[in-house]
Amino acid sequence: MVSPIDIAKRVVLGRPFRSDRLGETLLPKRLALPIFASDPLSSVAYATQEILLILTLGGLSYLYLTPWVAGGVVVLLAVVAVSYRQVVKAYPSGGGSYEVVAENLGPIPGLVVAAALLVDYVMTVAVSVAAGVDNIISAVPDLNPHRVLIDIGFIVALTAMNLRGVRESGRAFAVPTYGFVVGVLAMVAIGSGQALLGHAPVAESAHYEIHAEHVGLSAAAVAFLALRAFSSGCTALTGAEAISNGVPAFRKPKALNAARTMTAMGVIAITMFSGVTALAMISHTKVTENTCDLVGFPGDCRTDAQRTVIAQIAAAVFGSSSIAFYYLTVTTALILILAANTAYNGFPLLNSILAQDRYMPRQLHTRGDRLAYSNGIILLAVVAAGLIYAFDGQTTRLIQLYIVGVFTSFTLCQTGMVRHWNRELRSATTAAQRLRIHRGRLINAFGACFTGVVLVVVMITKFSHGAYLVVIAMPLLVLVMYLIHRHYTKVRAELDIDPDDTPTLPGRVHAIVLVSGWHKATQRAVQFARATRPDTITAITVNVDDPETRALAQDWERQDVAISLKVIESPYREITRPVIDYIKRVRQSRPRDVVSVYIPEYVVGHWWENLLHNQSSLRLKARLLFEPSVMVTSVPYQLRSSRTRDPSKIAHSPGEIRRGIIGPN
């Protein structure tokens, strides 16, 4: 019998994979790039915009800082890409930053990095989907009132695709990712060519003026504004570490293929980000947090959304009604939404590693039908959808919570790599090995210092704008993981067998069959209890209704049941407490004795039938589990509805025919 839920599951996810097919899901570089690097590649679509948003707070006169801020982001992106190549080669097992830090700096710093990465992955989904929907709304402004609903719909779709497996999601995401890269590079090339030929593209917002929030800034205030813009532009680095976490998903040679993919990601991301920023300056693109701050905005600033920076540049280069404009708008929206796939691969994998180390529930280490970490995927989707709902799907509000976790993991990871190289240096035997180690240590030391400075800048500039929520969430997450690990450790210590202890057999086994009436389910429970050959066997019933209890006693005597029936009085009509008290009295006589309780249960075929049966047995089982030396056995009796849903195939019992419930077949 196949339920509708199983049919829907097969339609959405496909047929389950055998465990021995795990090797077939490994990725070539061409699929690994869109899967693990879609986040940093897609960040090009909004990183420049975030820089301009902050600089325009001081007015148009401060946009001259844009190339300097963008240059700092480019240098940082290059440093991170080169640094993580070292991580991929040194730690190819897939633990990434968490493994590096835990092994070299200790378990608590490792948990800090894990918490930072988990927060970052959740924010990746929320920000990527929100930014993608922003671009859709740029093309179709009438969708703005339905922003949150559209966001959550895309999260559901991404979740379903990732539950189908890593390789299948990679195939689905490869075309939009490469389509976006080609579109942006073509826009940069054509726009740059137009500028060189003297026909520079002009953005639709070029003639707008802006109401500045801050005027007459001091030198210190200008520096703070530039640092804040730099920290916002660093969103271009989000997801850069995902390749180091996904090394096990690559084809062999895993580390080499992952390192080459990291290099490709860095080169492509730097080229696109630099090109988009340059075109934004050339076309005099403007954007503000509040549309009403744009003087000359043609629509209703209170309800209409302004176009994103990349949409304005595309319109200036290709024309706002051209096919190329809509192509880039669509691919930008798709890559931004699909960039969440980086998190859909990194988050479940990291949770699996944490679960294996007993820092997360063991269920997160289990692969689903399609060999994906299904529980982690679903958990990520639920938390990200909650964030989208809480922040109304506003990219600018969500992005303030972003990169704190990113640079926390960057900084600690590079510091851990320095410790790694110091340890490797002690065992180096040749000059070539020492040279390689010194080079790696220099790269990671510079990366640690650079990202550490950026982390301080990010904390200072974004703390009051929402980053404080991440600062609160990360320690709480570390505490939760620590408590989970402590629980697993205590349970393991309790379950360990002491070699000095000699196991002893129970003195006697007392079987107790719980009875509510004389019928087939009770008869089966009595027969099963007798078959186990206990030392004593008793049937008990709780008297909550005198007429029913007397009728049961009469049936019991008339059927001449082989075991005695004991009636337990319950003046307050309770069932659970009298049974527990009786079992305790049985055990008090001989502490080494074991009581085995047999509970007849009905097995039904419909969920709503469960509400009508077995409630007393469920409460009893839940309570009996806490009683020492008490074993609980459910004795199922399958009702007709559990055997088949086709009434014509049911062989009716003589009892049903005799009572007139159904006619004979």
Side-chain angles (χ1 to χ4, degrees):
M1 180 176 61
V2 181
S3 68
I5 295 177
D6 291 332
I7 295 173
K9 186 178 179 182
R10 292 284 76 83
V11 170
V12 175
L13 304 184
R15 290 187 173 276
F17 286 161
R18 289 169 53 92
S19 297
D20 56 12
R21 291 188 61 186
L22 184 60
E24 298 177 21
T25 65
L26 297 180
L27 302 169
K29 296 188 292 294
R30 69 178 185 278
L31 291 181
L33 183 67
I35 287 178
F36 293 112
S38 55
D39 183 20
L41 294 180
S42 70
S43 298
V44 170
Y46 54 80
T48 300
Q49 175 170 310
E50 292 303 313
I51 294 174
L52 297 179
L53 277 172
I54 300 303
L55 291 179
T56 51
L57 294 176
L60 299 179
S61 59
Y62 295 103
L63 290 179
Y64 77 91
L65 295 170
T66 302
W68 300 100
V69 172
V73 173
V74 167
V75 172
L76 183 59
L77 183 53
V79 169
V80 168
V82 173
S83 299
Y84 270 95
R85 277 180 56 92
Q86 308 292 329
V87 174
V88 166
K89 293 177 179 178
Y91 293 88
S93 60
S97 299
Y98 164 69
E99 185 179 358
V100 171
V101 175
E103 182 174 318
N104 295 287
L105 302 181
I108 297 301
L111 291 183
V112 172
V113 167
L117 287 173
L118 292 176
V119 171
D120 177 43
Y121 285 137
V122 172
M123 294 308 307
T124 294
V125 175
V127 172
S128 297
V129 171
V133 172
D134 279 350
N135 277 271
I136 293 175
I137 293 173
S138 292
V140 189
D142 291 342
L143 295 176
N144 192 41
H146 310 291
R147 178 188 300 270
V148 174
L149 187 61
I150 297 171
D151 288 340
I152 294 176
F154 277 119
I155 289 177
V156 171
L158 284 168
T159 303
M161 293 184 69
N162 278 278
L163 288 173
R164 292 184 65 88
V166 175
R167 191 178 180 90
E168 287 204 22
S169 65
R171 290 195 184 102
F173 299 160
V175 173
T177 302
Y178 288 122
F180 171 74
V181 171
V182 170
V184 171
L185 293 179
M187 181 183 72
V188 170
I190 294 172
S192 301
Q194 291 172 347
L196 290 174
L197 294 174
H199 304 289
V202 179
E204 62 185 31
S205 60
H207 63 281
Y208 296 168
E209 295 296 327
I210 292 179
H211 288 302
E213 288 190 15
H214 309 288
V215 293
L217 297 178
S218 63
V222 172
F224 183 81
L225 187 70
L227 289 175
R228 186 180 168 192
F230 172 71
S231 66
S232 293
C234 286
T235 53
L237 281 81
T238 55
E241 81 290 338
I243 292 175
S244 67
N245 293 331
V247 177
F250 282 79
R251 285 182 178 173
K252 295 180 180 180
K254 295 177 181 291
L256 179 61
N257 286 335
R260 288 175 176 173
T261 305
M262 178 71 73
T263 301
M265 180 274 296
V267 172
I268 295 172
I270 288 173
T271 302
M272 291 197 301
F273 173 73
S274 302
V276 169
T277 304
L279 285 182
M281 295 298 297
I282 291 170
S283 61
H284 303 288
T285 304
K286 301 181 182 67
V287 65
T288 62
E289 291 185 352
N290 186 353
T291 309
C292 291
D293 290 335
L294 286 173
V295 180
F297 185 73
D300 186 345
C301 67
R302 293 167 298 180
T303 58
D304 293 348
Q306 57 185 317
R307 279 179 171 173
T308 60
V309 166
I310 198 166
Q312 291 189 48
I313 296 173
V317 172
F318 300 123
S320 58
S321 59
S322 65
I323 295 176
F325 167 75
Y326 284 105
Y327 166 83
L328 190 58
T329 300
V330 170
T331 55
T332 300
L334 284 174
I335 184 63
L336 283 168
I337 293 168
L338 299 182
N341 196 59
T342 297
Y344 272 101
N345 286 278
F347 183 91
L349 182 59
L350 178 57
N351 269 301
S352 171
I353 294 170
L354 290 169
Q356 190 172 19
D357 292 344
R358 303 296 196 277
Y359 287 111
M360 279 291 182
R362 292 290 294 170
Q363 295 90 328
L364 295 174
H365 185 59
T366 305
R367 292 182 183 269
D369 287 354
R370 304 282 289 185
L371 299 177
Y373 294 109
S374 305
N375 293 329
I377 291 171
I378 294 171
L379 176 63
L380 173 63
V382 170
V383 178
L387 270 176
I388 288 282
Y389 180 80
F391 287 86
D392 296 324
Q394 298 294 328
T395 306
T396 303
R397 293 177 61 192
L398 285 165
I399 214 162
Q400 305 301 327
L401 282 66
Y402 214 174
I403 55 175
V404 174
V406 177
F407 283 97
T408 300
S409 63
F410 283 172
T411 304
L412 288 175
C413 179
Q414 302 312 312
T415 305
M417 283 299 296
V418 173
R419 292 284 298 272
H420 165 78
W421 293 124
N422 289 339
R423 191 166 57 250
E424 290 286 306
L425 188 61
R426 300 191 193 106
S427 58
T429 56
T430 65
Q433 288 178 333
R434 286 192 290 271
L435 178 62
R436 178 181 62 84
I437 292 170
H438 284 306
R439 184 174 64 248
R441 184 170 61 176
L442 178 63
I443 291 171
N444 291 123
F446 180 71
C449 294
F450 200 170
T451 55
V453 171
V454 176
L455 176 60
V456 173
V457 171
V458 168
M459 289 289 294
I460 293 173
T461 57
K462 288 186 174 290
F463 187 84
S464 61
H465 296 275
Y468 68 90
L469 294 173
V470 177
V471 176
I472 295 171
M474 284 171 50
L476 288 177
L477 193 52
V478 169
L479 177 62
V480 169
M481 289 189 287
Y482 172 78
L483 293 176
I484 290 173
H485 186 266
R486 189 175 70 171
H487 168 77
Y488 279 130
T489 302
K490 290 172 64 177
V491 170
R492 190 169 186 173
E494 283 191 54
L495 295 177
D496 279 345
I497 298 175
D498 190 342
D500 297 330
D501 290 342
T502 303
T504 57
L505 294 174
R508 292 191 302 171
V509 177
H510 302 280
I512 296 175
V513 181
L514 302 184
V515 175
S516 61
W518 180 250
H519 42 62
K520 290 183 178 180
T522 300
Q523 186 181 54
R524 175 174 290 185
V526 169
Q527 292 170 341
F528 185 77
R530 292 181 63 195
T532 60
R533 302 183 183 279
D535 295 289
T536 65
I537 180 169
T538 307
I540 65 173
T541 186
V542 180
N543 182 16
V544 295
D545 186 284
D546 285 332
E548 288 186 4
T549 303
R550 284 195 298 270
L552 171 61
Q554 292 171 2
D555 284 344
W556 200 270
E557 186 177 352
R558 186 168 52 253
Q559 296 295 330
D560 193 21
V561 184
I563 64 175
S564 61
L565 174 67
K566 184 176 182 59
V567 178
I568 301 175
E569 296 297 330
S570 179
Y572 296 103
R573 298 161 304 284
E574 288 184 277
I575 295 178
T576 304
R577 173 53 56 188
V579 172
I580 298 296
D581 291 341
Y582 177 80
I583 292 172
K584 285 182 176 179
R585 287 195 298 270
V586 172
R587 288 197 61 253
Q588 282 175 355
S589 59
R590 297 184 66 178
R592 282 183 55 199
D593 289 0
V594 170
V595 176
S596 185
V597 181
Y598 297 86
I599 305 177
E601 289 191 53
Y602 304 127
V603 179
V604 296
H606 305 92
W607 66 268
W608 53 267
E609 291 179 291
N610 278 310
L611 303 176
L612 307 177
H613 301 284
N614 301 325
Q615 301 307 308
S616 297
S617 62
L618 288 173
R619 289 193 296 270
L620 268 169
K621 282 194 293 185
R623 182 63 183 82
L624 288 170
L625 290 174
F626 292 93
E627 292 297 322
S629 298
V630 174
M631 314 302 164
V632 183
T633 302
S634 294
V635 184
Y637 184 83
Q638 290 78 17
L639 296 176
R640 288 190 299 116
S641 62
S642 69
R643 283 174 261 167
T644 177
R645 296 181 185 273
D646 186 353
S648 65
K649 296 180 181 179
I650 299 174
H652 301 290
S653 68
E656 291 175 309
I657 300 172
R658 186 170 58 251
R659 290 175 174 81
I661 297 174
I662 195 74
N665 290 337

